[in-house]
Amino acid sequence: MPVFYSRAGSPSVKFTRRAEIGYNRISRGWVFSSSRRVALASIGPTVVHTVSCALFFLIFPSDCRICGGPLHTVTRLPVCPDCLKRPQPLSAAFFCVRCRTPFQNAFPLDEAGLCGLCRHGLRGFDAAYCFGAYEGRLRDLIHLYKYGRVRTLARPLGDFLAAALPRDERFDAIAPIPLHWRRQWQRGFNQSELLAQTLSRRTAVPVIKALRRVHATATQAGLSNTARRLNVSTAFRCRRADAVAGKRILLIDDVMTTGSTASACAAALKHAGAARVALLTVARVDRRLDVSDLRPETFYPEQVYAEGSILNAE
């Protein structure tokens, strides 16, 4: 028969095998129990949670918004654990050492490992990192987050950002790429800002709203690389030069397509005196993929993700 100790540490009075009494240091209250009751209490919370979840989904059935499978736990994420674990990091045998653009072979790279855009200084940023390719489950998660307005996905997507950030890099501030106020009002939030806040909690690097979008731009979908750069070349301004002067800034966005928007943001930060600007995104478009492999919704300029369907919003 176990011996229970009082608050002072001395053994308390022994009771019969039918019941013992002891002081619970955590809840600071007396607990009456027997050996059988203690055994049942140890599995009680798990059983209660399982039964409550089963009853909840029996009354309010819910399916994963990505694969359509049933959800078995009560969570703020309408996505099953398997879909959250499915995305894999982007891998490539040949890539630019600065912007990390993947290639099929080494032909586009020079002796220093730079691609044509980086060789000619057409990239405003000093480095670019991403977690995975903008395809499959990762693309579905980003669509659900941004167009389905499921803000709780900022946490798992922020975990992907943290995994892609090189451990030897040091930054003074994190800057999300801004939306035009009209676009942010329509969407209800800036997806890059939520991702930046999530990463800030992981890394303890502060978030600063260093940029503002001074005018709305035409949609980038369907434009050539040159047209994309011209479209956003004057769209961004630095809010406060003293906040970025001499600092190492990490730009945050959800997807990198050609890098034109990030280049324009980096140019504005460099003009304000930033010492180094790097880009970190959840995903990037992999140009090595066949165009036939991309689904039509990839090319929509603005989308609304509702119950598994993509609708053109313009």
Side-chain angles (χ1 to χ4, degrees), residues 63 75 118 168 272 291:
D63 295 329
T75 175
C118 292
D168 57 345
V291 175

Side-chain angles (χ1 to χ4, degrees), residues 57-246:
F57 285 109
L58 181 64
I59 301 172
F60 305 103
S62 183
D63 295 329
C64 174
R65 295 278 294 276
I66 301 295
C67 67
L71 296 176
H72 300 291
T73 58
V74 179
T75 175
R76 297 178 63 195
L77 286 174
V79 180
C80 67
D82 183 61
C83 288
L84 291 174
K85 296 176 182 177
R86 190 72 61 88
Q88 297 298 318
L90 178 65
S91 61
F94 304 96
F95 57 89
C96 175
V97 296
R98 180 174 298 173
C99 67
R100 300 301 194 277
T101 300
F103 296 100
Q104 293 280 16
N105 51 58
F107 179 75
L109 306 174
D110 64 4
E111 295 80 5
L114 297 175
C115 67
L117 291 175
C118 292
R119 279 198 305 271
H120 294 91
L122 297 178
R123 300 286 198 191
F125 44 79
D126 299 294
Y129 311 104
C130 77
F131 173 77
Y134 187 53
E135 59 174 338
R137 284 290 185 264
L138 186 56
R139 177 173 53 187
D140 293 336
L141 289 170
I142 294 173
H143 281 178
L144 184 59
Y145 167 57
K146 184 160 63 172
Y147 306 125
R149 298 176 174 86
V150 182
R151 303 188 190 191
T152 51
L153 278 171
R155 177 174 293 183
L157 293 178
D159 291 340
F160 293 151
L161 286 177
L165 185 63
R167 297 295 177 261
D168 57 345
E169 283 273 21
R170 294 293 180 269
F171 296 98
D172 301 304
I174 298 173
I177 290 182
L179 292 176
H180 188 261
W181 69 265
R182 189 179 297 111
R183 178 62 58 83
Q184 184 165 341
W185 177 76
Q186 292 171 344
R187 185 169 294 166
F189 67 102
N190 180 357
Q191 71 278 359
S192 301
E193 187 174 338
L194 293 185
L195 292 173
Q197 292 170 357
T198 302
L199 184 64
S200 176
R201 289 191 288 270
R202 301 284 191 279
T203 60
V205 179
V207 175
I208 60 172
K209 293 184 179 181
L211 295 163
R212 64 187 180 95
R213 201 160 192 148
V214 294
H215 60 81
T217 54
T219 177
Q220 297 277 69
L223 299 180
S224 65
N225 289 352
T226 302
R228 282 173 178 264
R229 287 193 292 271
L230 292 175
N231 189 36
V232 296
S233 59
T234 60
F236 301 96
R237 293 287 185 275
C238 184
R239 289 176 178 270
R240 289 176 49 198
D242 59 337
V244 301

